[in-house]
Amino acid sequence: MPTRLVIFVQNKFDAEQRKIIANIAWLAAERIFRMAVGFFTLAWTARFLGVEQFGTLNYALAFVAIFSPLAQLASDQITFRDLVNEPEAKERILGSAFLLKSLAGLIIFGISVVAVSLLQSSDPLVVKLVVIVGAASFFSGFSVIELWFQSKVDSKYVIWARNSSFVLGTIARIILLELKAPIAFFAWLVVIESLLNSIGFIVVFRWANYQIFNWRFDWEYSKSLMKISFPLIFSTLAIVIYMRIDLVMLGQLADTEAVGIYSVAVKLSEIWPFASTMIVKSLAPSIISSKGVSANTYYDKLQRLCNFQAILVYAIAIPMTFLSTPLITLLFGAEFAPAGTVLSIHIWSSMFLFLGYVKEIWITTEGITWFAFIFTVAGAAMNVLLNFILIPPYREVGAAVATVISYGFADYIMCFLYPPARRFGWMMTQAMSLNLLKVKSSF
C-alpha cells in the first residue's frame, strides 16, 4: 500500500507539490506525536499541581511571554523571506539574525526580572518562577536554524531535533511527577527543554552539511533588518498582549485559580493551530515566489489557502463547542470542569487566528508591516479594555469572550478600515462563508 501511495503521488503531483506534501507530512507526524504524548503529560501535571499551583506556573510563563516579542529585533518573517529570496546569502542572513536574537534574549531576561520584582514583590514564588523561566530566552538565537529549513521546505531535520528534545523533556517531566517534585523544578524544565532544543538544532544543521562557523555578522544587513523589523516588534508585542495578557490580568484581577482553569482551556484551544501552521509554513515559499510571476496566481493561492483554513476551523470548533466539558473532565478531573465553558468560547478565536496566519504572508510579501503594527495594537488595546470590563464579573469566561472579540476586530474588521487591506478582508469573508459569498471586488 505505501508503494502504491508513493507511485500515485509521483504521478499526480509535480516536484514542487511533492516537496510541499512531504513537508506537511513531516510536520503532521510531529504534531500528532506531540499531541498524543502532550495530552497525557499536561493532564498529569495539572492534576498533580492542582488548579492554584498550575495557575501560578502558567502566570509566570505568560509574564515572560509578554516580553518575548523583543526577539523580533530580527523578525522571523523578514528573515524567512530573505532566506527564500536569497538562499545564497544564508551565512550573512543567519549570522546577523542569530546575533540580534541572542542580544534580544538577554534583554528579555533582564526586563522580565525587573518587571516581576516591581509588580509581584509580595509573592516571592512568582518572582522565583519568572526568573527561572526567563532564563530560557538565552537560547532564542538558535531558532534561526529552523527558519533556514523552513525556507527550504524541508522540516524533517528540525522535527528530529524538536522531537528528540521533546522526548527527553517528557521523560524528565514524568520523573518529576513520580518524585512529586516542587513547582520550581517544572519551571527549570522549561529552560532545560529550550537548551536541548538548541543543541538539537545545532546537531541537525551540521548533519545536513551546513556549518554554523560559516555564519557572519553583517552590520549593514543587520541595520536594514532591524529597521524593517522595528514595527514588527511592536506588532508582535501587541499580538502577545492580546494572546497572553488575559492570563496576567486574570492573576491581577481575579486569582491564580482562575488562571489555572483558563490555562487548561487555552492549552487545549492552542493545540489545534499546528494543523494550520504546518500548511501555511509549507505553502508560504510558493506563495511568496508567485508574487513575481502573476498577481492572479498570487491571489488565487492566497484565497485557496484562506478557504482551507476556514474549513479546518469549522471541523475543529463545532465538535469542540459541544464536547469541551466532557473532554476536560475526562483529562483533567472534575476540579477543572469549569474550563469546558471557557474552551467552548475560546476555540472560536481560531477562525481569526488561522486566517491571520495567511494574512501574515500577505503583509510580509506586500511590505506593509506598519499595517500589522496598527491592527495588532488596536486588537491588544481592545483586549485589555474588555478584560478590565469582563474579568471582574465573569472571571475566566469573561477573558475568553474578550479574546474572541479582540481577535475578530484586529484580524478581520480592521481590514475594512484600511483601504489597501480591503481586498484581503473580502478574501477572509469569502473563506468564512465557505464561498457562499462570491465577492467580485475591483481592487
Side-chain angles (χ1 to χ4, degrees):
M1 182 64 69
T3 303
R4 291 181 179 178
L5 180 60
V6 170
I7 294 173
F8 171 78
V9 171
Q10 288 177 339
N11 292 335
K12 186 72 174 178
F13 303 101
D14 60 32
E16 181 186 21
Q17 292 171 329
R18 290 198 300 270
K19 190 174 184 180
I20 291 173
I21 291 171
N23 195 65
I24 292 172
W26 274 102
L27 291 169
E30 180 206 20
R31 292 306 303 177
I32 291 171
F33 169 70
R34 282 174 173 264
M35 282 177 63
V37 178
F39 264 134
F40 171 71
T41 56
L42 174 64
W44 191 358
T45 303
R47 284 174 178 266
F48 168 70
L49 293 176
V51 172
E52 188 171 347
Q53 281 202 97
F54 190 69
T56 301
L57 178 59
N58 280 277
Y59 176 88
L61 292 167
F63 194 92
V64 175
I66 292 295
F67 304 102
S68 64
L70 292 173
Q72 294 303 306
L73 188 63
S75 167
D76 287 346
Q77 298 171 38
I78 304 303
T79 303
F80 173 76
R81 183 199 66 184
D82 291 345
L83 288 170
V84 170
N85 293 332
E86 302 178 72
E88 70 283 355
K90 66 178 182 296
E91 284 80 14
R92 172 173 59 86
I93 296 171
L94 292 173
S96 301
F98 170 78
L99 191 59
L100 292 175
K101 282 183 173 292
S102 297
L103 175 62
L106 295 174
I107 296 172
I108 290 168
F109 176 76
I111 293 178
S112 298
V113 172
V114 172
V116 76
S117 299
L118 294 174
L119 297 175
Q120 292 288 343
S121 57
S122 61
D123 194 336
L125 177 59
V126 170
V127 174
K128 179 181 179 180
L129 294 180
V130 168
V131 172
I132 295 171
V133 171
S137 62
F138 294 155
F139 310 106
S140 57
F142 293 100
S143 64
V144 299
I145 294 175
E146 183 174 8
L147 295 175
W148 167 248
F149 285 113
Q150 287 176 4
S151 72
K152 303 299 291 181
V153 197
D154 193 4
S155 296
K156 62 178 180 291
Y157 292 102
V158 292
I159 288 172
W160 291 338
R162 281 204 303 253
N163 279 350
S164 297
S165 62
F166 175 70
V167 169
L168 292 173
T170 299
I171 293 172
R173 185 178 299 275
I174 291 172
I175 292 172
L176 292 179
L177 290 166
E178 286 288 349
L179 294 176
K180 301 187 184 305
I183 188 174
F185 282 68
F186 292 90
W188 275 114
L189 189 56
V190 174
V191 182
I192 292 170
E193 288 176 338
S194 181
L195 172 61
L196 291 173
N197 222 35
S198 298
I199 293 172
F201 284 165
I202 295 170
V203 171
V204 296
F205 193 73
R206 179 67 187 90
W207 192 5
N209 294 318
Y210 300 115
Q211 289 285 352
I212 285 182
F213 295 109
N214 289 338
W215 292 358
R216 67 180 190 275
F217 179 76
D218 185 311
W219 175 239
E220 290 302 319
Y221 173 73
S222 297
K223 286 195 297 183
S224 173
L225 181 59
M226 285 189 288
K227 182 178 180 180
I228 195 170
S229 297
F230 186 74
L232 289 175
I233 292 176
F234 295 97
S235 172
T236 307
L237 176 62
I239 290 172
V240 170
I241 286 175
Y242 77 82
M243 289 185 70
R244 289 291 177 265
I245 197 66
D246 40 14
L247 287 167
V248 176
M249 293 183 71
L250 272 170
Q252 299 296 129
L253 300 176
D255 50 42
T256 53
E257 183 177 339
V259 177
I261 291 171
Y262 189 78
S263 296
V264 163
V266 170
K267 285 184 181 296
L268 291 183
S269 180
E270 292 181 350
I271 284 175
W272 303 107
F274 88 90
S276 170
T277 56
M278 71 180 184
I279 301 292
V280 171
K281 288 179 180 178
S282 297
L283 293 177
S286 174
I287 294 174
I288 292 171
S289 59
S290 70
K291 168 71 174 178
V293 177
S294 166
N296 289 335
T297 302
Y298 169 64
Y299 278 105
D300 181 61
K301 286 185 175 183
L302 284 170
Q303 182 66 69
R304 280 185 287 164
L305 184 54
C306 285
N307 294 347
F308 180 83
Q309 297 286 76
I311 292 171
L312 191 59
V313 171
Y314 287 126
I316 295 168
I318 292 175
M320 289 299 292
T321 299
F322 300 100
L323 300 176
S324 55
T325 299
L327 177 63
I328 285 178
T329 303
L330 175 65
L331 290 173
F332 299 93
E335 185 181 15
F336 287 92
T341 302
V342 178
L343 177 58
S344 67
I345 297 170
H346 193 282
I347 193 69
W348 286 101
S349 65
S350 299
M351 178 63 76
F352 308 109
L353 187 65
F354 284 25
L355 291 173
Y357 293 146
V358 185
K359 188 167 67 175
E360 285 180 6
I361 300 175
W362 176 75
I363 287 172
T364 304
T365 307
E366 298 296 318
I368 51 174
T369 54
W370 278 106
F371 170 59
F373 169 63
I374 292 170
F375 79 72
T376 47
V377 166
M382 175 168 283
N383 197 26
V384 170
L385 176 62
L386 290 174
N387 276 321
F388 268 120
I389 295 171
L390 297 176
I391 286 177
Y394 303 111
R395 293 167 62 86
E396 59 273 7
V397 173
V401 172
T403 295
V404 175
I405 294 175
S406 59
Y407 275 33
F409 178 75
D411 284 309
Y412 179 58
I413 300 300
M414 285 292 291
C415 285
F416 295 97
L417 302 180
Y418 180 61
R422 285 175 186 165
R423 178 169 185 169
F424 197 88
W426 287 120
M427 290 169 66
M428 294 174 71
T429 302
Q430 184 169 318
M432 288 189 286
S433 70
L434 298 178
N435 289 313
L436 294 178
L437 295 178
K438 296 282 188 179
V439 180
K440 300 294 185 181
S441 68
S442 58
F443 298 105

